[in-house]
Each structure stands twice: as C-alpha cells, then as structure tokens.
Amino acid sequence: MKTRYKVLTALFLLSIITFLDRVCMNVVSKYVKADLGLNNEQFGYVLGAFSLAYALFEIPTGVLGDKIGPRRVLTRVVLWWSAFTGLTGTAFHFIYLIIIRFLFGAGEAGAYPNASIVISRWFPAVEVGRAQSVIWAAGRIGGALTPLLVIPLVHALGWRWAFLVLGIAGVLWAVGWYFWFRDIPAEKKGITAEEVEEIEVGRKQVATTHHVSWQLILRNPNIWILMLMCHLFFYAAYFFTNWSATYFQEGRGLSEEQTKNFISLSYFLGVIGCIVGGYVSDVLTKKYGLKVGRRTVGMIGLGLSSIFFLLSGLTTDNESAGYLLAICVFLKDLTLPVAFAVCVDIGKQHSGTVTGAMNFAGQLGGFFVTILFGTIVQKTGNFNYPLFLIAGCLAVGALLWLKIDPTRSLHSSDIEK
C-alpha cells in the first residue's frame, strides 16, 4: 500500500471517532434530558453550545494548521475534545453541561480543515475529491455505528460511562498520530522517491509563504458564496447530528429500536453518498473540467435532498418519514466531499484557512438550526415545521452552486484552466 493511502486510513479512523463523539449526545438525548430535567428548548442550547464553539474556533485552528502543520494541531485537537467527551459524563446541571459541550466544540474545531491540509500536501489533485469522500464516508460510518455501540453501552453502564469510553478511543488515536505521521511526504520514513515525486508533481498545494491576507479572503465573492452554501447545507447536517433521535421518538412516536435502525440506515446511506459524490465529481472533473465536475454534483445533491426533506415533513406515515429522511442523507452527502474538495481547489497552500472559513459558516448554520429546532418544537409542538425550513435552505444552497467557481484560486491572479 502506498504511504499516502496509509495516511488516508489514519484520517479515516479519525473521522469515525469524530462522529462517534459528536452523534453520541443525539443518541442518548432522552436519558440526558430525563436525568437533568431538561426540555427540548433547553436541550437545544446544550447542543448549540457545541456548534457555536466549533464555529468560533474553526478558522483559527485552520490557520494554525497552515502555519505549524496538521501533525501537531490534530494531536492537540483530538486530545482536547477527547478530554471533554469524557467529562460530559460528569454533567450534573444544565449550565455545567453547556460549558462542557462548548469546550468540547472548541476542541473539535479544526479537525476537518486540518485533514484537508493533509490531503493538500499528500495527494495529487486528481485524487482530492476521492480522498475527501473517504474521510466523510468514515464520518458517516461513525454516525451509523454510534447508536449500535452506544445504546448497548448505555443499557449496560449508563449514559455517563458511554462518553468516557469514547474519550479514551480519541486519546489512543492522538498518541499514534503524533509519533507516526509527518507533515511533509518526503520526511516520512519508508515512503519511496517515486511516490514523493507523484505527489509533488500533481498536488494542489504548492510551496510558498504561510502568510495569507484576510483582506484577500474577505473581498473574495467566491469564498463568500461557498460559505453561504455551506451555512445552508449544515441546517440539514445538524438536524441528523443533533435532533433526529428526538424527532423519531417524540415527533413520530417510534421506539428506541426503530430510532436506532433509522439513524444507522441514514448514516450508512451517507457513506455511499460521500463515496459516490467524490468519485463522480473527480470523473466529471477529469472529463469536463472543475466547474462541471464540482457544480453538477453539488447542485444535484442539495436540490434532490431539498425535495425529500419536504416530502418527509408532509407524509403522515411515520416509517415512510424515516426512509425518506435516510434518502435525504444519501443525497445531501453527495455534495459534502465536493464542497471540501473545492476548498482545496480554491485554497491550495491555504486550504486549511479556506476550509476553516467555509466550515465556520457551516457551523453557524448548525448552531442556528439546533436552537431553532428546539425552540420551534417547544413553542408549537410541531416537529415537522423545522423540516420545511431545512428544505428551503437546501433549495437555495443548490442554486448557489451556479455561482461557485472552483477554477478561481484564492489569489485572483492565479486562475486554473
């Protein structure tokens, strides 16, 4: 196996752990709310604390990765969030839980921007989309495994111990990463000269100064449109991350077993969506160019997902709603690796910064929908109103792909043909 694929395997494991830790709170929501006496509006603020912190620390951590390298930053990121994953199990009060989840989000911020830096340094341009699809497919595997692993743990040990077990897994990954990985391919022991040449000739990232002008980013309409698309996209993503268990059990009256199955099905379909989206985008890019390759997949994924979200909210059959929402995950996740591939297309040596900017906007969307869902449900008693809102956001996000130009790099004078 080529060394870069071993690196991708490490990132694959990282992404699984990331989503195990992230989705766990959704899966155990009914136990946490019952234990601490929280209603849906209060629980929305608990969930939103993570999203807000993730958004605030996303860009700084992406910039830090561009400056000092993803080896040290990812080690810090994983150790930090693993510690606060474990501490989540010590929660005894509403405010304490908000603080812990905020600090958890601050720690996890930067994981995917720094993974994008690794890809920009370790992979030729023609493999970027597929590499991103593998990372995001792994996240979906983590989401699918969460209810299958966590619910038995909760029944055996209680919800508090489940968080401690997940925290230990992250610590083990961080230690292995720090001692094994190297930021520059040529510095990695055991890599062949042929593979180093293959990477360096064909990669997006090029050697240059680490300085990036924020004025250049803030005045770049291409990045603003990309950020807005991601913001709207994450309204859907965070419904599944934070609220799907509550929606199925309280909104649709499904059992815990049915809920577990639908959440797992959703994320397993997301695995397929990520792989298909990244692969198709790279194939179309090779045949028709970056614009067609990235835009086509992005528009189709979000556009069709919007329709299925709407149908999910309109159907009166509870199991049909579960299957429709699972298809939504497949469709929207066609777009996910493409969006992060565009960050590498645009950002090149500053891919961590551009990814951080896009993900910052996305996490703000996650924060808003997390708060809105809990508030709307608490005030109206209707669990389907938020789904109509999400459907509208996805429709607008699909149209924004017409304006996203992956051929225009961060530096306006550097245009790829």
Side-chain angles (χ1 to χ4, degrees), residues 11-258:
L11 295 178
F12 181 89
L13 294 174
L14 169 68
S15 194
I16 288 178
I17 294 170
T18 300
F19 269 78
L20 282 170
D21 292 353
R22 192 180 299 187
V23 178
C24 183
M25 183 60 81
N26 176 31
V27 171
V28 303
S29 57
K30 75 173 185 178
Y31 299 103
V32 177
K33 287 189 290 185
D35 198 3
L36 300 182
L38 306 178
N39 61 35
N40 281 321
E41 186 172 6
Q42 290 173 312
F43 195 64
Y45 283 102
V46 170
L47 297 171
F50 164 82
S51 303
L52 180 60
Y54 200 116
L56 293 176
F57 288 89
E58 187 78 347
I59 294 177
T61 315
V63 173
L64 186 63
D66 281 332
K67 289 184 176 180
I68 70 172
R71 175 171 173 253
R72 284 187 286 171
V73 174
L74 279 177
T75 301
R76 192 277 300 167
V77 160
V78 180
L79 287 175
W80 177 284
W81 100 53
S82 297
F84 285 100
T85 296
L87 286 172
T88 300
T90 67
F92 60 89
H93 187 270
F94 172 52
I95 300 299
Y96 177 84
L97 185 56
I98 286 180
I99 294 172
I100 290 295
R101 297 306 286 179
F102 182 89
L103 292 172
F104 166 60
E108 194 169 289
Y112 286 108
N114 277 274
S116 289
I117 296 171
V118 175
I119 289 174
S120 73
R121 295 183 179 187
W122 275 84
F123 286 84
V126 294
E127 296 182 7
V128 165
R130 279 167 284 181
Q132 289 285 3
S133 72
V134 168
I135 291 175
W136 285 105
R140 285 356 187 205
I141 291 173
L145 291 175
T146 303
L148 302 180
L149 297 175
V150 169
I151 289 177
L153 267 177
V154 170
H155 289 169
L157 303 173
W159 68 268
R160 298 177 182 277
W161 282 98
F163 284 101
L164 179 61
V165 171
L166 294 179
I168 292 172
V171 171
L172 294 176
W173 184 93
V175 172
W177 175 260
Y178 181 79
F179 287 105
W180 178 79
F181 179 72
R182 294 296 180 268
D183 288 328
I184 306 301
E187 296 176 355
K188 182 73 179 76
K189 185 178 179 180
I191 193 171
T192 65
E194 290 79 8
E195 186 177 4
V196 171
E197 182 180 5
E198 184 181 4
I199 293 169
E200 292 181 347
V201 169
R203 68 184 177 183
K204 289 286 183 185
Q205 193 262 354
V206 295
T208 188
T209 175
H210 290 302
H211 174 72
V212 57
S213 169
W214 282 102
Q215 187 178 50
L216 187 64
I217 291 179
L218 295 175
R219 289 184 176 180
N220 191 317
N222 202 30
I223 294 179
W224 279 104
I225 296 169
L226 182 66
M227 290 170 65
L228 179 57
M229 180 281 301
C230 191
H231 177 85
L232 298 172
F233 177 22
F234 272 41
Y235 275 63
Y238 268 84
F239 164 77
F240 290 102
T241 301
N242 288 337
W243 283 113
S244 56
T246 299
Y247 177 80
F248 287 135
Q249 292 179 28
E250 297 182 21
R252 290 289 183 173
L254 301 180
S255 67
E256 183 177 62
E257 184 67 19
Q258 289 174 306

Side-chain angles (χ1 to χ4, degrees), residues 269-351:
L269 289 181
V271 173
I272 299 172
C274 286
I275 293 173
V276 171
Y279 178 79
V280 171
S281 177
D282 278 353
V283 169
L284 291 175
T285 293
K286 189 173 181 179
K287 190 170 184 179
Y288 300 107
L290 273 176
K291 281 188 181 180
V292 173
R294 304 300 192 223
R295 286 178 174 177
T296 301
V297 178
M299 286 188 63
I300 290 175
L302 294 191
L304 291 179
S305 185
S306 170
I307 295 172
F308 275 81
F309 253 104
L310 182 62
L311 293 175
S312 302
L314 291 174
T315 185
T316 57
D317 184 81
N318 293 331
E319 289 198 358
S320 294
Y323 287 115
L324 287 168
L325 285 171
I327 295 172
C328 287
V329 179
F330 166 77
L331 293 169
K332 76 176 182 62
D333 280 357
L334 293 170
T335 303
L336 191 58
V338 179
F340 280 81
V342 169
C343 291
V344 177
D345 297 328
I346 294 174
K348 292 185 170 59
Q349 72 273 17
H350 301 301
S351 58

